[in-house]
Amino acid sequence: MMSPLLLQLNHFLLKSEVLLLLTMSLFFVSDLDTKPFDLVVTLSEAPKIGVLKRQDSVFSESSVILREGSSIAYQDFIEGLIVYVHSGGSESKQEDSMAFKVSDGDFSSHAQLQVLIGKVNTDLPAVKVNKGLLLPIGTHLVISNLTLLAESSSLDDCLYTVTQISPNLILEKSQSSRWNPISEMGEFNQSDINTGRIRLSVLKTDSFMEFFFFEVKDARDAVLADQSFVVEVILNEAPIVMKNRKVSLKLNEDEPLSEDHLFATDSESESDELIYEVKEIPANLRISHIDYTDLDVFQWSQSDINQKKILFRAVSYGQDLLKLSLTDGFNQVDTELVIVVMEDEKHRKWLGTKTFIEFGAPELLVGENASYAKIPVVRTGDKTSVSSAVCHTIPSSANEKDFIPRLFEEKSRIFFLKGVETIHCEVEIINDSVFEEEEVFDVVLSIPEPEESVILKSNKVRVVIRDPEDLPRLKFEKVTHSVIEPSIENIRKSFSVKLIRLGDTSKPMDCHAKSTDGSAVENLDYILRTKSVHFKSGEALASIDVEIMHNSDSSWQRTFSIVVESMHSSAEASITIVPQRNSALPILPAEPIVVSLVYLDNITEGLGIDPRPGYPLICITACDPKYPNYNETSSLCRRTNIGLTRYTWEVAPPSMDPIGISSFYEVVDSTLFTDARGRILDPIYFNKLFKVRCVTQPIVDGGILGAPIKSKPVSISEAPTCTRAGEPYKASVNITEDRIVHMKVEIPFQDGSIPLISTMPLYSVQYLLTQSIYRTQHICSNLHPGFGFLADINVNLDLSDSVLTGNTRSESASRLYKHLNLKTCLWTFEAKFTLSDLIDKCGGVLSSILKVDAQGRDRIVTRLPLHISLVEALPPYGWSTVEYSTELEVGLEYDPILWHKGLETKPALVTKPQVTRIASDRDGRLVVEFRTYSSFSGYYVTKNSLGKTSASFISPPGVTTPFNLTLTWTKNTVGGVEQSWKAVSLFSLNDYSGDYQLRLVPCVFNQDMSQSPERCEPQDPVSMPLSVAFKHAHRTVPAIYSLNTEFTLSKNNRIFSEDGSDDPNNLEASEEEFDIGDSIYGRVRWSPSQALDASYSIKIQRVYVCAGRDGYIPSYDPSGSVYKDGPQYGCLENSPKLRHRLLLLDREEPRATDKVFEDVPVEAAFASEHPELITTTPLNTGLDGFVMKVDPLYRVKSGNVWFIQVIYTITATYHRQRRDLANEGSEIIRQGTNIKCIRLAIVDDYIWLKASIILLTVPLIGGLILGLCGYLIYKTKKRRKKIGICEIPECEPLSNTSDKIRAKLEA
């Protein structure tokens, strides 16, 4: 939207009691994007000695007085309905005035109109009528005396002289039966208007309003000057042909032309106003109308087509073009219809012998600096001969000033040579330095040759020219500046920042400058002297002046920003004020910058370029010699004694928010190839359209960490580093003469991703990248430096990128990127293994053994799985994978005597299980999936025929859960029977790592038996080892955050009255179990060794209960600095990682607590409010506690691990008068936390509950977490098993309960 502009507001002179029309000659408003009848005028100040009126019609005596605040339609001014009348009276009052506000609904303008009162020269001619015209584009209209009328007092004929006319208007006068144009200073008189000999035409324009100015002179040469005539333009777009399809006809049969064949629309016209006219008709075609079929028609409307009233009849076979013009009355469009006439059985034969030509795309975008627009033209059908078509241009908003036209002539013909399918029609684009908005022109195909060639419906392309390079835009010469603060009060230092104008500099340009306070404050630390900038035509450089002031109240470095804005662009620069003397806390002298690593040796060049997504980024600090302003910042770095620098990175994914705001997340996970805390950030942490910034903190002698400074974010571009994404990978394997297996894998490079390769399935990529224990089973992979696919085999350093593998990179990153050739955009990994390693370590499977010759030689075929994962950044943080899997085969001929050491008469019943998946289900239980391949004649079964022995999956010591083993799939193969198995733990633990035993029951076919499942003979079970490395993310928090408090849980209320500080077997050391109906007494107190009871007090404020989802263990790390996993808030935050969350107690808002959970009342109370505990709890301000019923914890199913988080305050007490810790003289110091896990136990004929208590210390400035968990284990004894102190550092969730237990819980 643009503000309405008052183009003409003329003061006027009139005599007392004279009425004057306020026509457009006096009051003229133009708004380029608003029609006149949408403009509203408000009378903001009424005249003093006259009145403003609105007449009902021109020269009507009926009118309404307009008062201050009245709204007037601008259309009333155009129609001459607004009049000013002087009220007469004293002649001493020589002038009057009125003020107006004009609005288009979004913007407004103000103006004042002066009225001079005095003697008027009544001898001047007067314009009595001036209504203007309403004209559509491309039309003309005669000006009559009802539209324009001038009179003189002498009644002579008035003479009009045109002083200025819009270039889009044509004013003409009829002379001798011809219309001759009237140019500027041309003349006509009122009698010409009265006799209809003056007409006005409007050419193509984008404006809603055009005008011409004139003077009126009478016979005595009295001149009335500065008059205007306004034309309101009705814009009219050309009709659009939406469908143009081939018409197939049968000989001598009428076929109606329908909207499926030919359909056009126009926003300003009805279908009966869109008229087609035949320009050229084929000789074999007759066209008629259904209402009068005996007559040939050459003109019809779109409405006729829609009603199927136009009939086509073919009188001979063949194919030809019907050429038509389409008009809406103002615009004309040419189009062609393909007419095909043939017998049905010849139709496909005809298609095969014709050549069809059309454009390859409906639209082409091209930059003004592209030199040529190359439009693809495609040929189908017969390509055995030379064919051609004329390719010509049609101007639109782009014309011959923007491109070199291809005229409709033979010189514009383009040719297909034999066998050629695609060529280009090239149009030269004119590149200038003047900025232009988006412009378009059309390119059309016509007149194909030879006769067998046909132009299809895609015969027109719209070419769009864009000119972003010439867009006027602003840029500061440097985006960061440092200036030393003046050392003396009242002394100001002048400082200039250079501003550069880029793009089109041919026109003047005005900019507005403003400052934005950061840590520096305007008028206290600095003064912005330059508020506006004016670029003259051709100027490209300007200065922004700033004065730096001395601030004695601050010894710290301070920063502010300068923003300069224009209509099309804005630019920002930051200025850091550095104090004269160093402060205690070190700080870098200017903000860091982030560029693509490819510009490491030319940082300045990289500043203006958005980094590509497939290349690392580097953070350059102000103390780095490569910093652009290092000559200015180096002395400040030396003065501050800055040595090392701490780097962190933050990324923001593309925003889905309509206003484009996205949040930044800190990069925390380092991988085996990358460092999240390094100077360089690898592209697996970001992707296209991400924003990335670095945060730097200086480290000075003594390890002092300085203040952090953030760089400005850089936007990752969409331009690819490589364009091979999506191409298939290649994997090959061969065996050498010395029986070494050589594997080679080639993977197309994809921006922002790294490939992981292994012969084992690649599950849990997050853990594979960040934790080495998950990589142990991937022996044959690229996950181990110097081994497997990362061994230095055939690595050609000349092909790898020297920057990606140079001394700026870590050894692990360099080792990976040595396998990348950016010239070919290809990763290449090679590995060599022995055949034994292939089977024993890489998961290879002996597939088949075949006899190959009479000498008894065998051929062994080994199948080797290969898994590839392409890992890339996943918004907002983390990684996603694109996974591929295949299977390779290795064949080897050998002498069986050499392979087998002796002959075996008994088959080997033991196999090596191949693990295919290790994961946890939604309840946190371990799931192990694996395959077996029987190397004997038979297969494995789950139990023998007598049912005495069964297959089982046996846990190692320390893994206190049994497993259910099931056979999921069996398949006969050439080499034996392949079977799939699944083992699922009965309970959920945190750590399942260990060496398991797999017991399977072989079932062997005897030689005289047919190989059917019913006739195999079960054998004794065989055992096979199977190693598992899997644990849930469970973290123990450093004890330094426990704030010297102890936390104890008990089912005895003596916990509040007994000290037990000297008893090694006190309640703190004993870990009790809780039955249904028990109460949990929780106590928080100072450690007895601190002896702080009289000085400090503890008071619990809130108590939360929560259970994690999918094995998640809540922790409290609000800064994210302990676990490097981002902020963690335990039970305080209603996180999606929590399955359940309850507020048990809240001292300040008791009404906010949860009262019921799973239909069980939640009973909990503070110790100071519980009737039983008020008398047993001593007046000890160094202790506080709570009590809760445990019953609700049994109402949840397996897999829920419970935690309780307690918020409490620590207070220093000077005068303790009462138990209330909020006494006068108290001061809250801080808050603390701890974590507990509670054993739950139930005695039953069949089931008992085992529970464990774990003390987990949590970092907190704000909360205390208790962890409650328990699990059910099946037990066939009726007696209670004594439970001792928790032996494992895990928190175990409840297992499944039987119907009897459920009945007991409900009772």
Side-chain angles (χ1 to χ4, degrees):
M1 299 291 293
M2 301 180 65
S3 299
L5 302 176
L6 291 175
L7 298 184
Q8 184 172 336
L9 195 60
N10 294 327
H11 304 326
F12 56 90
L13 179 70
L14 78 162
K15 200 170 183 179
S16 175
E17 299 183 4
V18 172
L19 178 147
L20 183 73
L21 291 176
L22 267 68
T23 62
M24 295 182 64
S25 61
L26 298 174
F27 193 93
F28 178 60
V29 181
S30 176
D31 188 334
L32 295 180
D33 61 356
T34 306
K35 295 183 178 180
F37 48 77
D38 290 330
L39 295 174
V40 176
V41 181
T42 302
L43 181 62
S44 55
E45 181 183 329
K48 306 296 187 301
I49 58 175
V51 292
L52 200 64
K53 296 182 179 182
R54 182 193 181 279
Q55 301 180 124
D56 291 345
S57 61
V58 179
F59 305 125
S60 169
E61 305 221 346
S62 175
S63 62
V64 176
I65 296 177
L66 300 174
R67 308 191 184 278
E68 205 162 285
S70 297
S71 293
I72 314 166
Y74 183 59
Q75 191 71 21
D76 293 344
F77 287 91
I78 297 175
E79 295 176 2
L81 301 180
I82 307 301
V83 298
Y84 172 82
V85 180
H86 183 247
S87 58
S90 174
E91 291 291 332
S92 62
K93 195 75 173 180
Q94 294 299 315
E95 64 180 43
D96 198 359
S97 66
M98 62 198 86
F100 300 92
K101 181 180 78 172
V102 182
S103 172
D104 62 358
D106 293 295
F107 302 98
S108 59
S109 294
H110 300 265
Q112 194 171 46
L113 189 61
Q114 297 290 333
V115 182
L116 301 179
I117 310 298
K119 294 183 178 180
V120 178
N121 184 357
T122 57
D123 293 336
L124 289 179
V127 176
K128 297 295 185 179
V129 179
N130 186 354
K131 292 186 176 182
L133 288 177
L134 184 68
L135 275 179
I137 290 178
T139 63
H140 52 76
L141 197 63
V142 172
I143 300 176
S144 71
N145 54 8
L146 297 176
T147 304
L148 183 62
L149 174 64
E151 295 178 351
S152 70
S153 59
S154 62
L155 301 180
D156 294 326
D157 197 10
C158 292
L159 181 68
Y160 293 82
T161 302
V162 179
T163 57
Q164 183 181 346
I165 187 169
S166 168
N168 298 316
L169 295 180
I170 298 178
L171 192 62
E172 297 174 300
K173 181 178 180 180
S174 176
Q175 290 178 322
S176 304
S177 301
R178 294 181 57 186
W179 289 99
N180 298 318
I182 302 173
S183 58
E184 291 185 1
M185 304 314 295
E187 297 177 342
F188 59 92
N189 53 36
Q190 184 64 48
S191 62
D192 293 329
I193 294 177
N194 297 342
T195 56
R197 290 184 293 175
I198 305 298
R199 77 176 183 184
L200 192 63
S201 306
V202 60
L203 303 178
K204 187 165 186 179
T205 177
D206 294 327
S207 174
F208 289 113
M209 196 171 290
E210 302 287 349
F211 47 85
F212 69 86
F213 296 94
F214 60 91
E215 296 177 347
V216 181
K217 183 168 62 174
D218 62 12
R220 294 168 296 178
D221 291 335
V223 177
L224 178 66
D226 298 326
Q227 304 299 304
S228 62
F229 188 86
V230 179
V231 179
E232 186 179 346
V233 180
I234 301 175
L235 301 181
N236 194 294
E237 299 290 337
I240 301 174
V241 178
M242 304 297 292
K243 290 183 181 178
N244 184 336
R245 295 177 178 172
K246 176 183 63 181
V247 180
S248 298
L249 302 177
K250 293 183 179 179
L251 192 65
N252 295 321
E253 292 185 12
D254 287 334
E255 176 71 24
L257 180 65
S258 72
E259 55 190 321
D260 290 332
H261 297 118
L262 186 60
F263 181 71
T265 62
D266 183 64
S267 58
E268 296 92 1
S269 307
E270 300 295 333
S271 59
D272 58 354
E273 296 174 324
L274 298 177
I275 305 301
Y276 294 90
E277 186 173 344
V278 176
K279 297 177 66 178
E280 185 175 328
I281 188 170
N284 65 341
L285 181 67
R286 180 172 177 261
I287 305 174
S288 61
H289 194 282
I290 198 169
D291 294 337
Y292 27 90
T293 55
D294 294 336
L295 299 176
D296 291 339
V297 297
F298 299 95
Q299 183 174 307
W300 61 87
S301 69
Q302 181 66 53
S303 177
D304 293 331
I305 297 177
N306 299 348
Q307 298 177 61
K308 298 184 179 180
K309 290 187 175 182
I310 304 303
L311 304 178
F312 283 10
R313 175 184 287 258
V315 296
S316 64
Y317 295 120
Q319 179 267 334
D320 213 329
L321 292 177
L322 171 62
K323 297 184 179 181
L324 304 169
S325 66
L326 169 63
T327 179
D328 60 357
F330 305 107
N331 303 281
Q332 179 173 307
V333 176
D334 293 333
T335 187
E336 297 175 344
L337 268 178
V338 177
I339 309 297
V340 178
V341 188
M342 59 182 58
E343 295 176 331
D344 291 344
E345 60 269 19
K346 295 182 180 179
H347 184 66
R348 293 189 176 281
K349 181 178 178 181
W350 175 84
L351 286 176
T353 59
K354 287 287 184 178
T355 297
F356 303 96
I357 302 174
E358 63 181 338
F359 283 119
E363 185 176 85
L364 180 70
L365 300 179
V366 62
E368 189 181 89
N369 62 346
S371 300
Y372 286 91
K374 298 182 178 181
I375 305 105
V377 185
V378 180
R379 177 172 66 167
T380 55
D382 183 13
K383 308 183 192 70
T384 59
S385 60
V386 176
S387 55
S388 65
V390 171
C391 179
H392 63 96
T393 57
I394 299 176
S396 183
S397 56
N399 52 37
E400 61 274 5
K401 297 179 182 179
D402 305 295
F403 64 92
I404 305 300
R406 294 178 65 100
L407 302 179
F408 185 60
E409 59 186 13
E410 279 300 309
K411 291 182 181 179
S412 298
R413 185 173 293 278
I414 56 175
F415 292 87
F416 289 90
L417 300 180
K418 292 182 180 180
V420 175
E421 182 176 327
T422 302
I423 59 176
H424 290 86
C425 176
E426 296 187 356
V427 180
E428 185 177 352
I429 305 298
I430 299 174
N431 186 17
D432 55 32
S433 60
V434 177
F435 173 70
E436 297 168 294
E437 297 288 350
E438 188 176 279
E439 297 176 307
V440 300
F441 66 93
D442 296 324
V443 183
V444 178
L445 291 175
S446 58
I447 315 180
E449 290 184 353
E451 292 183 357
E452 293 78 16
S453 299
V454 178
I455 303 292
L456 295 182
K457 64 177 181 179
S458 299
N459 68 330
K460 187 176 183 179
V461 166
R462 171 141 289 192
V463 180
V464 181
I465 304 176
R466 291 178 177 171
D467 188 19
E469 292 79 12
D470 293 329
L471 180 69
R473 56 196 186 277
L474 301 171
K475 176 184 177 183
F476 279 104
E477 187 178 46
K478 293 187 293 186
V479 295
T480 60
H481 302 265
S482 296
V483 57
I484 298 177
E485 176 185 18
S487 58
I488 304 174
E489 193 84 26
N490 300 324
I491 296 296
R492 298 177 179 178
K493 177 184 287 188
S494 296
F495 185 74
S496 294
V497 182
K498 299 297 183 185
L499 180 67
I500 301 173
R501 177 166 66 146
L502 304 174
D504 184 2
T505 61
S506 63
K507 301 180 182 66
M509 182 178 183
D510 290 308
C511 312
H512 172 67
K514 64 181 180 180
S515 63
T516 302
D517 288 349
S519 52
V521 179
E522 189 170 12
N523 297 322
L524 183 64
D525 298 292
Y526 71 95
I527 297 175
L528 180 64
R529 289 300 182 191
T530 304
K531 301 292 187 180
S532 62
V533 179
H534 176 72
F535 288 96
K536 296 180 181 178
S537 298
E539 280 187 346
L541 186 64
S543 295
I544 307 294
D545 296 327
V546 182
E547 286 186 353
I548 307 300
M549 307 166 66
H550 175 78
N551 184 351
S552 59
D553 294 332
S554 177
S555 59
W556 300 99
Q557 182 170 289
R558 301 168 319 273
T559 302
F560 67 97
S561 299
I562 297 175
V563 179
V564 179
E565 298 175 327
S566 69
M567 182 180 297
H568 297 285
S569 176
S570 65
E572 182 175 354
S574 66
I575 300 176
T576 302
I577 304 173
V578 181
Q580 283 285 341
R581 296 182 178 179
N582 293 333
S583 60
L585 186 65
I587 191 166
L588 291 164
E591 66 182 19
I593 56 177
V594 175
V595 296
S596 177
L597 185 61
V598 74
Y599 296 106
L600 177 62
D601 296 324
N602 193 348
I603 300 297
T604 303
E605 180 184 352
L607 286 178
I609 301 174
D610 289 341
R612 295 195 175 191
Y615 218 82
L617 303 175
I618 186 168
C619 183
I620 307 294
T621 71
C623 294
D624 192 315
K626 293 185 179 294
Y627 194 74
N629 299 338
Y630 184 68
N631 58 340
E632 300 176 16
T633 60
S634 57
S635 60
L636 299 174
C637 296
R638 289 192 296 269
R639 188 184 310 165
T640 316
N641 198 26
I642 293 175
L644 300 176
T645 303
R646 180 180 184 267
Y647 297 89
T648 54
W649 292 87
E650 296 177 346
V651 299
S655 172
M656 300 302 292
D657 194 306
I659 61 175
I661 299 175
S662 56
S663 301
F664 278 89
Y665 300 87
E666 183 179 344
V667 176
V668 294
D669 286 324
S670 295
T671 73
L672 74 159
F673 301 122
T674 63
D675 184 4
R677 303 289 183 187
R679 179 188 179 205
I680 295 173
L681 187 70
D682 276 81
I684 64 165
Y685 294 106
F686 54 86
N687 216 319
K688 297 176 181 178
L689 301 179
F690 271 54
K691 293 185 182 297
V692 184
R693 67 188 180 196
C694 69
V695 184
T696 57
Q697 289 179 272
I699 305 174
V700 298
D701 294 342
I704 298 175
L705 197 62
I709 299 182
K710 295 181 179 180
S711 71
K712 281 189 169 54
V714 296
S715 297
I716 306 303
S717 75
E718 293 186 275
T721 304
C722 286
T723 56
R724 297 191 63 167
E727 293 185 18
Y729 67 92
K730 297 179 182 178
S732 61
V733 60
N734 59 72
I735 189 164
T736 62
E737 293 183 358
D738 53 356
R739 296 181 180 175
I740 298 296
V741 178
H742 180 204
M743 297 181 65
K744 184 177 182 180
V745 181
E746 293 178 323
I747 305 170
F749 175 73
Q750 182 172 316
D751 286 339
S753 70
I754 60 172
L756 304 184
I757 304 172
S758 179
T759 57
M760 306 295 286
L762 293 161
Y763 297 123
S764 304
V765 169
Q766 177 92 13
Y767 298 120
L768 279 176
L769 290 173
T770 59
Q771 300 185 30
S772 59
I773 189 172
Y774 290 91
R775 300 192 287 269
T776 54
Q777 65 173 323
H778 294 275
I779 299 174
C780 307
S781 68
N782 67 341
L783 302 177
H784 298 285
F787 186 77
F789 288 97
L790 282 185
D792 295 328
I793 301 175
N794 297 333
V795 174
N796 189 342
L797 294 180
D798 293 334
L799 298 179
S800 60
D801 191 301
S802 60
V803 177
L804 291 176
T805 59
N807 54 14
T808 59
R809 308 307 313 278
S810 65
E811 181 181 353
S812 59
S814 179
R815 186 183 295 273
L816 173 69
Y817 282 102
K818 285 178 181 177
H819 295 268
L820 173 62
N821 182 351
L822 274 182
K823 295 179 181 177
T824 60
C825 294
L826 202 64
W827 294 94
T828 303
F829 296 92
E830 298 184 54
K832 293 182 178 180
F833 306 102
T834 64
L835 196 59
S836 297
D837 285 343
L838 212 64
I839 296 175
D840 296 337
K841 299 179 180 179
C842 301
V845 178
L846 190 62
S847 172
S848 60
I849 302 176
L850 304 172
K851 295 289 185 183
V852 296
D853 56 24
Q855 285 75 32
R857 292 178 61 82
D858 290 351
R859 177 175 177 83
I860 180 173
V861 177
T862 302
R863 297 203 313 264
L864 181 66
L866 181 66
H867 304 274
I868 300 173
S869 284
L870 297 180
V871 184
E872 65 178 4
L874 174 69
Y877 51 83
W879 292 291
S880 65
T881 59
V882 179
E883 300 177 354
Y884 306 92
S885 296
T886 189
E887 198 169 63
L888 306 175
E889 287 192 351
V890 182
L892 171 67
E893 294 183 5
Y894 70 99
D895 190 327
I897 301 299
L898 299 177
W899 183 262
H900 300 289
K901 296 183 178 178
L903 300 175
E904 295 184 2
T905 57
K906 186 176 181 180
L909 303 181
V910 178
T911 186
K912 179 177 175 61
Q914 177 183 337
V915 177
T916 58
R917 178 173 178 259
I918 298 178
S920 63
D921 63 13
R922 63 172 297 171
D923 292 324
R925 296 175 299 187
L926 181 68
V927 179
V928 182
E929 297 177 359
F930 56 91
R931 294 176 184 169
T932 58
Y933 299 88
S934 60
S935 57
F936 55 92
S937 178
Y939 59 99
Y940 296 106
V941 294
T942 55
K943 63 178 65 176
N944 63 13
S945 57
L946 299 178
K948 294 182 178 179
T949 57
S950 301
S952 59
F953 192 79
I954 304 172
S955 306
V959 180
T960 54
T961 176
F963 281 76
N964 288 328
L965 179 65
T966 55
L967 175 63
T968 60
W969 183 65
T970 300
K971 175 185 177 183
N972 289 315
T973 66
V974 176
V977 179
E978 177 183 337
Q979 294 174 285
S980 295
W981 306 78
K982 178 191 286 188
V984 181
S985 66
L986 189 59
F987 312 123
S988 174
L989 305 178
N990 286 333
D991 191 355
Y992 296 94
S993 302
D995 294 326
Y996 291 73
Q997 288 294 319
L998 174 64
R999 289 173 58 84
L1000 298 179
V1001 180
C1003 197
V1004 181
F1005 299 118
N1006 287 335
Q1007 293 183 356
D1008 59 346
M1009 292 182 179
S1010 62
Q1011 293 190 358
S1012 64
E1014 295 80 7
R1015 301 191 61 186
C1016 68
E1017 182 178 340
Q1019 307 293 310
D1020 292 333
V1022 293
S1023 296
M1024 292 155 270
L1026 193 151
S1027 296
V1028 171
F1030 187 90
K1031 65 166 62 175
H1032 289 297
H1034 176 71
R1035 289 162 170 168
T1036 304
V1037 180
I1040 59 172
Y1041 297 103
S1042 65
L1043 306 182
N1044 294 315
T1045 61
E1046 291 180 351
F1047 184 70
T1048 308
L1049 297 178
S1050 175
K1051 59 182 178 182
N1052 195 321
N1053 63 10
R1054 289 180 304 151
I1055 192 173
F1056 295 107
S1057 58
E1058 295 185 0
D1059 182 9
S1061 57
D1062 298 325
D1063 184 0
N1065 297 316
N1066 61 46
L1067 290 173
E1068 182 68 29
S1070 67
E1071 299 178 334
E1072 301 182 61
E1073 59 186 12
F1074 297 87
D1075 289 298
I1076 291 180
D1078 282 348
S1079 294
I1080 300 175
Y1081 296 92
R1083 181 189 71 185
V1084 181
R1085 70 168 183 173
W1086 284 110
S1087 173
S1089 62
Q1090 301 296 316
L1092 298 174
D1093 288 353
S1095 302
Y1096 294 90
S1097 60
I1098 296 175
K1099 190 170 186 178
I1100 295 175
Q1101 301 293 334
R1102 275 175 288 170
V1103 182
Y1104 289 90
V1105 171
C1106 68
R1109 188 185 299 275
D1110 299 333
Y1112 171 70
I1113 305 296
S1115 60
Y1116 195 88
D1117 181 17
S1119 66
S1121 59
V1122 176
Y1123 300 140
K1124 315 299 181 188
D1125 212 13
Q1128 305 288 323
Y1129 298 96
C1131 299
L1132 297 184
E1133 182 183 40
N1134 193 10
S1135 167
K1137 296 180 181 179
L1138 299 179
R1139 189 184 300 277
H1140 303 290
R1141 178 178 177 268
L1142 303 172
L1143 176 59
L1144 294 183
L1145 294 169
D1146 191 326
R1147 194 176 295 276
E1148 294 191 6
E1149 289 290 339
R1151 294 176 298 177
T1153 59
D1154 293 284
K1155 305 300 189 297
V1156 177
F1157 177 64
E1158 295 290 331
D1159 299 324
V1160 176
V1162 176
E1163 300 180 41
F1166 292 108
S1168 59
E1169 299 173 353
H1170 195 277
E1172 177 187 355
L1173 301 180
I1174 290 176
T1175 57
T1176 61
T1177 305
L1179 295 175
N1180 185 351
T1181 56
L1183 176 151
D1184 198 10
F1186 65 93
V1187 60
M1188 67 164 289
K1189 284 285 188 181
V1190 75
D1191 294 13
L1193 303 182
Y1194 287 99
R1195 295 294 294 185
V1196 294
K1197 64 178 183 178
S1198 163
N1200 288 283
V1201 182
W1202 287 100
F1203 294 85
I1204 298 183
Q1205 180 164 352
V1206 181
I1207 312 299
Y1208 68 95
T1209 57
I1210 301 173
T1211 309
T1213 306
Y1214 307 122
H1215 305 289
R1216 292 193 295 132
Q1217 301 291 335
R1218 302 176 296 163
R1219 286 181 53 85
D1220 186 359
L1221 300 185
N1223 286 334
E1224 181 181 359
S1226 297
E1227 179 185 356
I1228 294 178
I1229 302 300
R1230 61 187 305 188
Q1231 297 174 316
T1233 188
N1234 245 317
I1235 292 182
K1236 279 283 180 186
C1237 185
I1238 296 183
R1239 294 180 185 267
L1240 304 176
I1242 294 180
V1243 180
D1244 190 88
D1245 287 347
Y1246 302 101
I1247 300 174
W1248 58 276
L1249 275 154
K1250 178 181 177 183
S1252 60
I1253 303 178
I1254 300 172
L1255 177 61
L1256 303 175
T1257 306
V1258 179
L1260 174 68
I1261 299 178
L1264 171 66
I1265 302 180
L1266 285 163
L1268 289 170
C1269 65
Y1271 69 87
L1272 290 171
I1273 294 182
Y1274 286 95
K1275 184 72 176 177
T1276 58
K1277 297 181 180 180
K1278 296 182 179 181
R1279 64 182 178 87
R1280 169 80 169 265
K1281 182 177 179 181
K1282 183 178 180 180
I1283 305 300
I1285 298 176
C1286 184
E1287 295 124 347
I1288 55 173
E1290 290 82 39
C1291 189
E1292 303 173 356
L1294 287 166
S1295 70
N1296 296 322
T1297 58
S1298 68
D1299 294 338
K1300 291 185 178 181
I1301 292 300
R1302 293 188 182 276
K1304 184 173 181 179
L1305 294 179
E1306 293 172 358

